[in-house]
């Protein structure tokens, strides 16, 4: 699956429309994404931002770009200090602990490691230098050890959010301060308070405000001119609006080409957030569901749309990914007896490669075109694993059935080569979406089964005992009992499949009301 021939369109929050993506430097992309404030375990909202921008990162690489991806950690902040005081821990120690937890979650979700992952505490000199530049250009003023940005000095304030200056609040993370020239002015530097971490500065000991850190770190790693700045939609105001003001104040030529924002995750259609207490942490979900199922769920809606969390959605994603991996495992098993040598024998005969079937060729072409068309349309991952992708999985399964039948050598080679190419195309698509695990297919399938048993409150021996009971019931022609056992396990998310004389089980979406087992009546 080579890079797309179509033009890559992205929605720019600044222009409020889709635009053709053209990097400032041909072949290279600079991308900065606002990371987490590390004071607690990360939740689904954080997972969505990370996964969506990871898909963008992967797709840009697929298109052939050399990408410098920067995602920061805020490890100096009011919320961190407050939490540290509550638990009696050093603020930097606490934030470091949650940074590590976040990195573990990102690894579980198969997010690629960004090029740089800077922390505020490591960039104090860059932050202070940037504040100095802003003061020297008369866009900021110092009062009693604090430094405030003078919003009225920046005529374009509000260009990203569309909020007029007279309607702006002081900011979500700072209280109104009578020393400000304008209530909308925001802190670049906060003077030290007892019991808080602080750093020396030209304005006295203190620590940076929330907004200045991203301006300083993005400029340090990507200069004041770069391609993409991303984050959650809730960051448009005040955070990203203030970033623009700071960066342009320090450097008149400062410019971000594309501002990209992902939508909220909702729970029962209410925004999921720590402050509302209606969130699930990433680790809470991956404890019960495979991380690949969570990733599948997170890309099942367009990144700019709201995504409503429900257990049934997650169950559906889990089932979908299991089916994908089972198909790939079956394909691998079927192809393994045919050594590479026998494939070469067919492919190199008369110096001509063995063709694939017209059905496989059409399927691959359709899958490739549908994938690229959707991805080039502002990363439209919604339904990308339906349609042509499902057709490809069905064709693999029907081809596997045909391969079991006796046929001429040339016909067999044709079928094998078709399966090889279909599998390759499916794998590459999954890899771009971050759904291709480094573990073997069989290992992933086993991991899904372990999670399914955990959700069902069973161990595998329980299921095997039920299978034995059912086999005995069928032998005794007690089909009512047999059906009852199958129905009971299905409500637990366990499906039984009869393969000849053998019965195996696999995870499934739990169905219906829980019936009782025969011995529970």
């Amino acid at each position: 699956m080579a890079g797309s021939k179509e033009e890559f369109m992205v929605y720019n929050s600044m222009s409020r429309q889709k635009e053709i993506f053209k990097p400032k430097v041909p072949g290279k992309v600079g991308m900065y994404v606002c990371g987490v404030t590390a004071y607690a375990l990360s939740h689904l909202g954080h997972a969505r931002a990370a996964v969506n921008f990871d898909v963008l990162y992967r797709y840009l690489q697929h298109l052939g770009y050399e990408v410098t991806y920067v995602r920061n950690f805020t490890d100096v902040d009011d919320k961190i200090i407050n939490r540290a005081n509550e638990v009696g821990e050093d603020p930097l120690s606490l934030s470091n602990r949650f940074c590590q937890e976040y990195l573990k979650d990102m690894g579980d979700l198969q997010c690629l490691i960004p090029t740089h992952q800077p922390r505020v505490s490591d960039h104090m000199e860059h932050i202070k230098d940037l504040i100095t530049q802003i003061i020297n250009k008369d866009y900021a003023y110092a009062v009693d050890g604090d430094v405030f940005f003078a919003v009225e000095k920046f005529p374009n304030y509000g260009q990203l959010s569309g909020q007029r200056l007279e309607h702006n609040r002081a900011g979500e993370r700072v209280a109104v301060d009578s020393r400000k020239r304008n209530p909308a002015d925001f802190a670049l530097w906060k003077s030290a308070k007892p019991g808080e971490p602080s750093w020396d500065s030209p304005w006295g000991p203190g620590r940076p405000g929330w907004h200045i850190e991203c301006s300083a770190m993005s400029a340090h790693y990507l200069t004041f001119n770069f391609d993409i700045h991303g984050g959650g939609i809730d960051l448009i105001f005040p955070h990203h609006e203030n970033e623009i003001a700071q960066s342009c104040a320090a450097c008149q030529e400062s410019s971000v080409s594309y501002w990209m924002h992902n939508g909220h995750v909702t729970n029962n259609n209410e925004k999921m957030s720590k402050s509302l207490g209606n969130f699930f942490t990433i680790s809470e979900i991956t404890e019960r569901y495979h991380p690949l199922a969570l990733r599948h769920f997170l890309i099942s809606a367009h990144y700019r749309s709201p995504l409503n969390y429900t257990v049934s959605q997650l169950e559906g994603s889990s089932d979908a990914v299991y089916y994908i991996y089972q198909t790939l495992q079956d394909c691998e098993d079927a192809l393994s007896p045919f050594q590479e040598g026998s494939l070469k024998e067919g492919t190199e005969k008369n110096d001509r490669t063995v063709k694939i079937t017209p059905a496989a060729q059409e399927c691959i072409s359709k899958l490739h075109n549908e994938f690229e068309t959707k991805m080039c349309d502002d990363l439209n991952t919604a339904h990308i694993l339906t349609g042509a992708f499902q057709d490809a999985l069905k064709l693999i399964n029907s081809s596997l059935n045909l391969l079991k039948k006796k046929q001429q050598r040339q016909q067999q080679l044709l079928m094998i080569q078709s399966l090889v190419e279909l599998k390759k195309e499916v794998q590459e698509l999954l890899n771009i979406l971050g759904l291709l695990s480094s573990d073997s297919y069989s290992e992933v399938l086993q991991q899904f089964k372990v999670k399914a048993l955990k959700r069902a409150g069973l161990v595998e021996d329980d299921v095997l005992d039920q299978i034995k009971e059912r086999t005995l019931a069928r032998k005794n022609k007690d089909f009512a009992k047999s059906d009852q056992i199958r129905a009971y396990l299905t409500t637990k998310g366990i499906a039984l499949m009869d393969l000849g004389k053998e019965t195996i089980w696999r995870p499934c979406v739990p169905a219906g009301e829980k019936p009782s087992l025969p011995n529970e009546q």
Side-chain angles (χ1 to χ4, degrees):
M1 189 180 283
S4 175
K5 293 175 184 173
E6 296 190 39
E7 288 181 319
F8 182 31
M9 305 286 291
V10 297
Y11 183 87
N12 190 347
S13 299
M14 181 67 80
S15 65
R16 297 171 182 75
Q17 63 185 13
K18 290 180 192 175
E19 299 176 6
I20 297 170
F21 179 73
K22 288 182 180 174
K24 293 177 183 290
V25 179
K28 297 189 175 185
V29 176
M31 178 167 82
Y32 185 94
V33 175
C34 290
V36 294
T37 299
Y39 71 98
L41 292 173
S42 298
H43 58 64
L44 269 186
H46 301 130
R48 186 179 195 197
V51 166
N52 286 155
F53 284 105
D54 181 67
V55 170
L56 174 59
Y57 183 32
R58 288 169 178 271
Y59 192 62
L60 287 168
Q61 290 179 321
H62 163 69
L63 293 177
Y65 292 110
E66 180 188 325
V67 187
T68 302
Y69 176 20
V70 184
R71 185 184 65 210
N72 76 297
F73 282 109
T74 295
D75 64 346
V76 179
D77 182 82
D78 292 346
K79 292 182 178 181
I80 296 168
I81 293 166
N82 293 340
R83 178 61 54 85
N85 289 340
E86 284 171 17
V87 298
E89 187 175 352
D90 173 71
L92 286 174
S93 169
L94 179 132
S95 61
N96 180 61
R97 186 158 53 83
F98 287 116
C99 286
Q100 296 307 318
E101 291 286 352
Y102 178 81
L103 292 173
K104 181 185 179 302
D105 288 339
M106 293 304 100
D108 289 344
L109 288 170
Q110 298 213 145
C111 291
L112 297 176
I113 299 170
T115 319
H116 303 288
Q117 298 189 86
R119 301 188 188 194
V120 175
S121 59
D122 293 330
H123 290 272
M124 285 299 165
E125 294 308 312
H126 299 119
I127 291 169
K128 287 185 281 185
D129 288 347
L130 185 61
I131 294 172
T132 300
Q133 288 177 55
I134 295 170
I135 291 174
N136 289 344
K137 294 191 177 180
D138 201 28
Y139 281 95
Y141 56 95
V143 183
D144 303 329
D146 292 329
V147 179
F148 297 104
F149 187 91
V151 171
E152 285 181 331
K153 297 264 189 175
F154 190 69
N156 288 332
Y157 192 82
Q159 59 185 307
L160 179 66
S161 64
Q163 297 211 32
R164 287 184 297 175
L165 184 56
E166 59 268 27
H167 293 162
N168 288 348
R169 302 184 306 276
E172 291 181 359
R173 297 196 177 194
V174 288
V176 175
D177 189 327
S178 60
R179 299 171 303 155
K180 293 179 182 180
R181 296 175 185 171
N182 184 305
D185 291 353
F186 55 89
L188 300 180
W189 188 260
K190 298 179 177 184
S191 59
K193 295 180 180 64
E196 292 186 357
S198 64
W199 289 260
D200 289 333
S201 81
W203 319 284
R207 58 188 171 87
W210 176 35
H211 314 296
I212 193 68
E213 63 190 50
C214 286
S215 287
M217 290 186 286
S218 61
H220 175 69
Y221 290 99
L222 300 171
T223 76
F224 282 103
N225 288 279
F226 58 96
D227 301 295
I228 298 169
H229 196 315
I233 196 169
D234 53 320
L235 296 180
I236 289 178
F237 183 84
H239 188 50
H240 288 165
E241 194 70 76
N242 290 352
E243 273 193 66
I244 293 168
Q246 294 163 162
S247 298
C248 290
C251 174
Q252 199 173 355
E253 289 75 38
S254 174
S255 169
V256 172
S257 299
Y258 307 92
W259 288 87
M260 298 178 70
H261 296 92
N262 64 275
H264 295 306
V265 178
T266 57
N267 184 1
N268 294 322
N269 297 308
E270 184 178 42
K271 183 197 166 189
M272 190 179 287
S273 70
K274 288 176 185 171
S275 57
L276 293 173
N278 65 344
F279 67 94
F280 294 96
T281 65
I282 298 168
S283 53
E284 278 174 337
I285 291 175
T286 54
E287 179 71 20
R288 293 171 58 79
Y289 292 89
H290 197 287
L292 285 174
L294 177 53
R295 187 176 177 107
H296 181 281
F297 165 69
L298 291 168
I299 64 173
S300 65
H302 189 276
Y303 76 91
R304 286 190 287 116
S305 303
L307 178 64
N308 195 38
Y309 170 80
T310 63
V311 170
S312 62
Q313 287 264 68
L314 206 48
E315 290 280 3
S317 284
S318 185
D319 199 54
V321 179
Y322 189 90
Y323 170 62
I324 292 167
Y325 273 78
Q326 187 63 66
T327 300
L328 291 170
Q329 178 66 60
D330 292 345
C331 189
E332 189 173 82
D333 290 344
L335 293 174
S336 63
F338 303 98
Q339 297 301 317
E340 195 179 328
S342 68
L343 279 174
K344 269 190 177 177
E345 172 199 324
T347 56
E348 293 180 356
K349 198 171 183 180
N350 300 325
D351 293 320
R352 295 162 81 186
T353 58
V354 166
K355 295 176 182 175
I356 61 176
T357 64
Q361 184 60 61
E362 184 185 352
C363 182
I364 288 170
S365 178
K366 188 179 171 189
L367 178 59
H368 179 85
N369 292 337
E370 190 174 293
F371 178 74
E372 294 297 348
T373 298
K374 287 186 175 182
M375 292 296 280
C376 280
D377 181 17
D378 191 33
L379 296 178
N380 189 4
T381 58
H383 313 301
I384 208 163
L385 295 176
T386 59
F389 183 79
Q390 290 300 315
D391 291 343
L393 296 180
K394 285 174 190 170
L395 184 56
I396 288 173
N397 283 311
S398 61
S399 300
L400 289 173
N401 290 330
L402 286 173
L403 192 60
K404 293 172 187 173
K405 298 177 181 177
K406 275 199 169 184
Q407 52 193 324
Q408 291 181 341
R409 176 70 173 159
Q410 198 60 25
Q411 191 64 30
Q412 187 186 57
L413 283 170
L414 188 66
M415 193 60 65
I416 292 168
Q417 195 64 34
S418 297
L419 282 166
V420 167
E421 294 303 318
L422 279 164
K423 180 167 170 270
K424 190 190 299 181
E425 191 76 12
V426 166
Q427 285 174 314
E428 189 160 353
L429 184 151
L430 291 172
N431 189 46
I432 296 167
L433 294 175
L435 289 169
L436 191 65
S437 175
S438 57
D439 292 334
S440 69
Y441 304 136
S442 59
E443 286 172 329
V444 172
L445 290 168
Q446 184 56 36
Q447 291 158 10
F448 267 85
K449 292 176 90 168
V450 168
K451 299 286 186 188
L453 288 169
K454 182 173 282 192
R455 294 194 298 277
L458 300 170
V459 294
E460 189 157 31
D461 282 348
D462 296 331
V463 178
L464 297 179
D465 287 343
Q466 293 299 320
I467 289 173
K468 284 178 190 172
E469 282 276 320
R470 181 172 170 271
T471 302
L472 185 61
R474 293 174 79 199
K475 188 177 178 182
N476 295 332
K477 300 196 184 305
D478 186 351
F479 298 114
K481 182 176 181 181
S482 165
D483 291 345
Q484 205 168 4
I485 291 170
R486 181 198 283 268
Y488 169 77
L489 288 174
T490 303
T491 65
K492 291 285 210 172
I494 306 292
L496 300 185
M497 303 174 72
D498 298 317
L499 303 177
K501 293 182 179 180
E502 185 189 9
T503 300
I504 62 168
W505 73 273
R506 57 150 286 176
C508 70
V509 175
E513 291 296 314
K514 176 189 169 186
S516 60
L517 280 171
N519 59 6
E520 291 178 339
Q521 290 179 334

